[in-house]
Amino acid sequence: MYKIINFLNQIKLTTNQLVIYTCVYITLVLNFPFLSKITTVVTALESYNLFFLLSVPVFLLALSIFVQCFLSFRWITKPLLILLVLLSSVLFYSTVTYGIVFDYGMIQNTVETDTAEAFSYFNFSAILFFLFFGVIPSLLIANVQLTYSSFVGELLARIKLLSGSVGVIFLIAIVFYSNYASVGRNNRDLVGYLTPYALIDSTVKYVRKNYLYPPLKFSLLDTSPTIKNDDSNKSITVLVLGETARSQNFSLNGYEKQTNSLTKDLGVVSFKDVTSCGTATAVSVPCMFSRLNKNNYEKRVAVAQQNAVDLIHLAGAEVYWISNNNGSCKGVCSRVKTEQISTNSKNPLCDDEYCFDEVLVDELRKKLHSLKSDNTLIVLHMIGSHGPTYYRRYPKDKRVFSPDCQRSDIQNCSQEELVNTYNNTIAYTDLVLSEIITELAALSNENNIKTSMIYVSDHGESLGESGVYLHGLPYAFAPEEQTKVPLIYWGDKLHHKAKLDCLNKISEQPISHDNVFDILLAEMQVKSKVYQPKNNPFNHCTNGVSVANAKSPTISQGVN
């Protein structure tokens, strides 16, 4: 090793030469996912220009050199290039391994990720990858000797390099403009694979939008919402907010493996065509509770106005948000009573980093026996199926499917092991839901309290389909595995039998996170000027409509 370092110390390069060599490495190696994607796109065309395809890495190299010409001077050259290589190697690993694209949404999700979740992505494969593609090249950069001429000489050399890169860019643009315009217009997702420039661009946009714009004045959508019970019974609704559960793996929705063996006989209604607002928690959770919908959702606006739980609380209901998800409520629960489950290992369900979701049942049980309000909403935020450490989401004695994948570098597990592990998380979620239903049913039977439960996941998950893992892809080209989520409804039969029968009739109809706002208000019997009956798919089944006359509801998906 000493001989290698000594040899490198004898290598002498100019600043321009080091910039060129580093840009070649970033372009041809660390941008392999981008080059691979664009090659697939171009060669799939009925007729394509081979020379256009060959021009892409040259164009990207010239563009990289052009950018670095303005940033790399004398003593800052090495630190800047080393940072660029290290950062690009992390992005390279994430994209190659999981198919992650670092767009604006992914930056937001990354910033709002807690430490335990972040460390779940670290594993032996990731370390080796980072060492080989990031650390070793960085050591090469750090140990070469840079030679400098006079300031004027340096400036002239830089102008020549800059002019050369501009000339190449200009020439390629003239010759292949129509090709670049056509491919770019029809494959906008390709830009997200440009390493590290897509990340830098998204980060700048995120910082500008979240830290440089002045905060909006908080808006009250309704200052006087009310609750009107249809009867004299107390009412309790439990909203279970799932994490990373995809609809395709629920046997209630037709999946061949019995992942819902416990809830299938408890009278639940599973909606089979539910679309998420986003592909990451940071977007989907605040979006589904917001009056905004997917098409016009903007976090800055959403956090500056009342959401569904705010209105329910203001109407007079008791609202509790109990979380076993360290990612927090993304601002939704800021103005209601909240409890974060402690991961202290003194609890047999916890290990100092995570707790199994059955802890939520314990907390729910305590709440149910101490409630004083006539109307109560309890939100239970699960850790659910959060990856890549799926195996840590269920106790070993609750494992249903085997062999499973007991590691975080899931790409090194067989597809059978990976799917079994994920299915175990769904089966465990099913167990938790069955226990919640049991608690609510007992309360209803013993005390004639009107009880109901709604379960909905924030987004889905990719399990290696088309080489993509986890979630968070830009919504425009995210697969259904990441955007189709489960939504399950249960109500005690004493008060909800007719409603349940009716809901079963419409459970095949498409709905989305856009409907959750109005579903919640209606379930809690909140009267508000912002409630939109047409946006509530349950509305048809809560107005005395008989099952015999049940038909598909007309649902508005474009509420502002």
Side-chain angles (χ1 to χ4, degrees):
M1 184 58 137
Y2 174 78
K3 290 182 178 180
I4 294 175
I5 294 176
N6 188 51
F7 171 74
L8 292 174
N9 284 329
Q10 295 176 16
I11 297 177
K12 295 181 179 180
L13 298 175
T14 64
T15 303
N16 284 351
Q17 288 173 328
L18 183 60
V19 166
I20 293 171
Y21 293 147
T22 305
C23 287
V24 167
Y25 175 66
I26 291 175
T27 299
L28 300 183
V29 178
L30 301 184
N31 265 288
F32 173 77
F34 170 76
L35 297 176
S36 176
K37 289 280 183 183
I38 198 167
T39 299
T40 301
V41 167
V42 173
T43 54
L45 299 173
E46 289 186 11
S47 60
Y48 68 90
N49 188 327
L50 178 61
F51 293 103
F52 158 63
L53 184 59
L54 294 175
S55 79
V56 172
V58 179
F59 184 86
L60 181 56
L61 174 60
L63 191 63
S64 297
I65 292 173
F66 174 80
V67 172
Q68 292 308 313
C69 278
F70 292 98
L71 301 175
S72 302
F73 285 99
R74 292 188 175 262
W75 64 269
I76 67 170
T77 302
K78 284 187 177 182
L80 180 65
L81 294 179
I82 288 172
L83 177 62
L84 208 61
V85 167
L86 292 175
L87 177 62
S88 297
S89 68
V90 173
L91 303 181
F92 184 37
Y93 173 77
S94 301
T95 304
V96 168
T97 306
Y98 301 121
I100 292 175
V101 177
F102 285 87
D103 66 335
Y104 181 92
M106 182 56 69
I107 298 301
Q108 179 179 340
N109 202 41
T110 303
V111 170
E112 298 181 15
T113 296
D114 69 289
T115 305
E117 181 181 333
F119 276 105
S120 68
Y121 292 90
F122 284 90
N123 50 62
F124 186 66
S125 296
I127 293 171
L128 284 180
F129 203 99
F130 180 66
L131 287 173
F132 186 79
F133 288 101
V135 175
I136 293 177
S138 295
L139 289 174
L140 297 178
I141 295 171
N143 284 280
V144 298
Q145 287 189 47
L146 289 182
T147 59
Y148 305 107
S149 60
S150 65
F151 176 78
V152 175
E154 288 280 314
L155 183 60
L156 289 175
R158 183 56 52 91
I159 291 174
K160 289 180 181 178
L161 181 61
L162 183 62
S163 300
S165 62
V166 170
V168 171
I169 293 170
F170 186 69
L171 179 61
I172 292 176
I174 290 177
V175 177
F176 299 111
Y177 173 78
S178 60
N179 302 86
Y180 278 94
S182 176
V183 171
R185 184 170 55 251
N186 297 319
N187 302 274
R188 297 184 184 277
D189 58 295
L190 288 174
V191 176
Y193 291 94
L194 284 172
T195 301
Y197 305 109
L199 172 71
I200 295 171
D201 177 65
S202 299
T203 302
V204 170
K205 290 178 180 176
Y206 179 83
V207 171
R208 184 178 67 230
K209 204 168 189 178
N210 290 273
Y211 299 105
L212 301 182
Y213 288 169
L216 297 174
K217 182 180 178 181
F218 192 81
S219 173
L220 299 178
L221 301 180
D222 190 346
T223 57
S224 55
T226 59
I227 291 179
K228 183 179 179 181
N229 285 331
D230 294 335
D231 48 50
S232 59
N233 298 105
K234 285 187 175 183
S235 176
I236 298 173
T237 295
V238 175
L239 174 68
V240 185
L241 183 55
E243 171 67 62
T244 320
R246 69 185 203 179
S247 179
Q248 293 92 326
N249 287 59
F250 276 62
S251 56
L252 288 171
N253 296 334
Y255 186 54
E256 65 273 11
K257 294 186 178 180
Q258 285 301 312
T259 52
N260 302 116
S261 60
L262 298 175
T263 57
K264 68 176 182 178
D265 297 322
L266 296 179
V268 300
V269 178
S270 180
F271 289 81
K272 299 171 178 60
D273 188 4
V274 185
T275 307
S276 68
C277 185
T279 61
T281 306
V283 175
S284 284
V285 170
C287 180
M288 77 169 80
F289 287 94
S290 170
R291 177 69 286 175
L292 305 174
N293 58 43
K294 176 186 174 297
N295 292 331
N296 65 8
Y297 172 76
E298 185 177 343
K299 180 186 175 182
R300 184 166 172 264
V301 177
V303 298
Q305 62 181 224
Q306 290 170 306
N307 57 50
V309 295
D310 290 328
L311 291 168
I312 292 168
H313 180 55
L314 184 60
E318 198 74 38
V319 179
Y320 296 94
W321 189 291
I322 305 172
S323 179
N324 186 39
N325 190 314
N326 290 329
S328 80
C329 64
K330 309 303 179 186
V332 176
C333 64
S334 299
R335 293 165 291 277
V336 298
K337 296 177 182 176
T338 61
E339 296 179 24
Q340 177 67 50
I341 299 291
S342 170
T343 58
N344 194 307
S345 59
K346 290 182 180 179
N347 187 327
L349 291 170
C350 305
D351 64 3
D352 285 328
E353 281 191 278
Y354 304 106
C355 293
F356 297 123
D357 278 326
E358 280 180 282
V359 294
L360 291 171
V361 182
D362 294 337
E363 292 301 314
L364 173 65
R365 191 177 294 115
K366 295 175 186 176
K367 283 287 182 291
L368 293 178
H369 291 88
S370 61
L371 295 176
K372 298 179 181 179
S373 175
D374 287 343
N375 298 280
T376 304
L377 170 66
I378 301 175
V379 181
L380 303 178
H381 194 177
M382 308 178 90
I383 196 168
S385 304
H386 203 293
T389 51
Y390 305 118
Y391 68 97
R392 299 185 68 178
R393 305 294 170 247
Y394 54 91
K396 289 184 179 180
D397 62 345
K398 298 295 193 301
R399 178 170 50 191
V400 178
F401 306 99
S402 60
D404 57 356
C405 174
Q406 295 284 319
R407 54 197 297 175
S408 63
D409 51 338
I410 53 179
Q411 72 279 5
N412 292 320
C413 294
S414 69
Q415 187 65 14
E416 179 190 15
E417 292 171 335
L418 176 57
V419 173
N420 281 342
T421 311
Y422 184 81
N423 284 341
N424 282 331
T425 69
I426 302 299
Y428 185 62
T429 291
D430 190 66
L431 168 68
V432 174
L433 295 180
S434 71
E435 293 179 352
I436 291 171
I437 291 172
T438 300
E439 292 292 330
L440 293 175
L443 192 65
S444 178
N445 293 333
E446 294 170 9
N447 301 291
N448 194 27
I449 296 177
K450 188 177 180 180
T451 60
S452 62
M453 182 203 76
I454 301 170
Y455 166 80
V456 60
S457 182
D458 54 358
H459 53 78
E461 186 86 328
S462 289
L463 299 176
E465 298 89 0
S466 302
V468 179
Y469 295 86
L470 305 176
H471 55 268
L473 280 180
Y475 204 96
F477 61 93
E480 284 195 350
E481 288 82 9
Q482 295 189 29
T483 61
K484 292 293 184 179
V485 295
L487 191 153
I488 298 171
Y489 181 86
W490 174 90
D492 71 84
K493 292 191 176 180
L494 180 63
H495 303 94
H496 296 86
K497 187 178 186 309
K499 178 180 178 180
L500 290 166
D501 291 340
C502 179
L503 289 178
N504 268 310
K505 287 273 189 176
I506 64 170
S507 63
E508 303 280 346
Q509 299 304 312
I511 61 175
S512 75
H513 277 169
D514 289 348
N515 304 118
V516 171
F517 183 98
D518 297 289
I519 290 173
L520 267 182
L521 262 60
E523 193 66 19
M524 293 300 297
Q525 300 183 71
V526 172
K527 292 192 172 184
S528 170
K529 66 181 182 181
V530 296
Y531 172 67
Q532 299 285 342
K534 288 185 178 180
N535 200 52
N536 175 17
F538 293 11
N539 191 51
H540 183 75
C541 297
T542 54
N543 291 325
V545 178
S546 67
V547 177
N549 295 325
K551 59 183 180 179
S552 301
T554 300
I555 301 171
S556 170
Q557 298 282 353
V559 179
N560 291 305

